[in-house]
Amino acid sequence: CGFGNVGRQIMERLKEKGEKYIIVEKDRTKVEQLVQMNIPVIEGDAELDETLERANIREAKALLTTMPDHTNLIVVITARSLNPNLFIVSEVEDDKHASKMKMAGANEVVQGENYFFCCQDCADKFIENPKKHAEMQKLLDATCRSKM
C-alpha cells in the first residue's frame, strides 16, 4: 500500500520476478499515472476494510505498507483482522513506533529506506517467500559470529 519511492522499488522487484501484486493508492493523480503505465492499482484508502477487500486481502500472501506511521498502523490492524495468516512488512518513519507496529500485527518492521539485503540472492528469496526468509534471517542473526 502506497506508491512512493519504497513502494515503487518493491513493485519493480516484484514485477521482475513475475510475482502478482496490486498497488493500493488514494492519490488520484498517482492512480491515473499507474493506470496509464498498465500497473495494477486500486484507488482507495487502505485504512478501509472495503478497499483492502477489493485488493483481495483475504487471499494475499503478503502485504507491504509504505505510508506514514499512523496510516500504516491502521492498515496493519485492518489487514490482520481480515487475513490472520498474512505476512505483513511495515515501514516505520520513526523507530520508536516499531514495537507498536509489531503489537498491531506486523511480522516485520523496517525503517524507511534503510531496509537493505546483503546480496541480490537474499532480496530475491525475500520476494519469493517473505515469511521463510524472515525466519531464516532471524536464525542467521542469532548465530552470526560478526555480531558477537
Side-chain angles (χ1 to χ4, degrees):
C1 298
F3 195 70
N5 287 334
V6 175
R8 182 179 304 272
Q9 290 173 28
I10 292 167
M11 186 236 12
E12 289 297 331
R13 296 288 305 143
L14 291 172
K15 196 174 183 180
E16 287 172 11
K17 293 307 232 173
E19 293 286 337
K20 287 185 179 181
Y21 64 90
I22 190 156
I23 308 289
V24 177
E25 177 60 60
K26 66 180 179 180
D27 181 321
R28 181 170 293 261
T29 303
K30 286 183 183 178
V31 170
E32 289 170 359
Q33 291 170 348
L34 292 167
V35 168
Q36 288 175 359
M37 296 165 57
N38 293 319
I39 294 172
V41 61
I42 290 179
E43 182 177 1
D45 185 344
E47 294 177 280
L48 303 176
D49 292 22
E50 49 271 12
T51 303
L52 293 179
E53 293 276 7
R54 288 189 345 218
N56 203 22
I57 196 72
R58 291 185 193 273
E59 303 302 318
K61 62 182 178 180
L63 170 72
L64 296 111
T65 64
T66 62
M67 299 163 291
D69 290 356
H70 64 280
T71 303
N72 284 345
L73 190 62
I74 299 300
V75 174
V76 167
I77 292 168
T78 304
R80 178 62 64 218
S81 73
L82 295 171
N83 184 344
N85 298 316
L86 187 66
F87 188 83
I88 302 173
V89 178
S90 186
E91 175 186 32
V92 291
E93 299 165 309
D94 190 328
D95 217 21
K96 71 182 178 189
H97 297 148
S99 63
K100 290 178 179 69
M101 203 66 73
K102 284 218 171 213
M103 286 189 312
N107 299 88
E108 295 293 327
V109 178
V110 296
Q111 185 169 11
E113 296 184 40
N114 295 328
Y115 195 42
F116 297 106
F117 296 98
C118 60
C119 63
Q120 188 60 48
D121 188 47
C122 284
D124 293 343
K125 295 296 182 194
F126 174 79
I127 289 169
E128 287 172 20
N129 189 334
K131 187 173 185 174
K132 183 176 179 182
H133 177 78
E135 289 169 2
M136 292 302 294
Q137 193 59 50
K138 285 179 187 173
L139 177 63
L140 290 172
D141 288 348
T143 59
C144 181
R145 293 186 186 278
S146 67
K147 294 188 178 193
M148 294 180 178

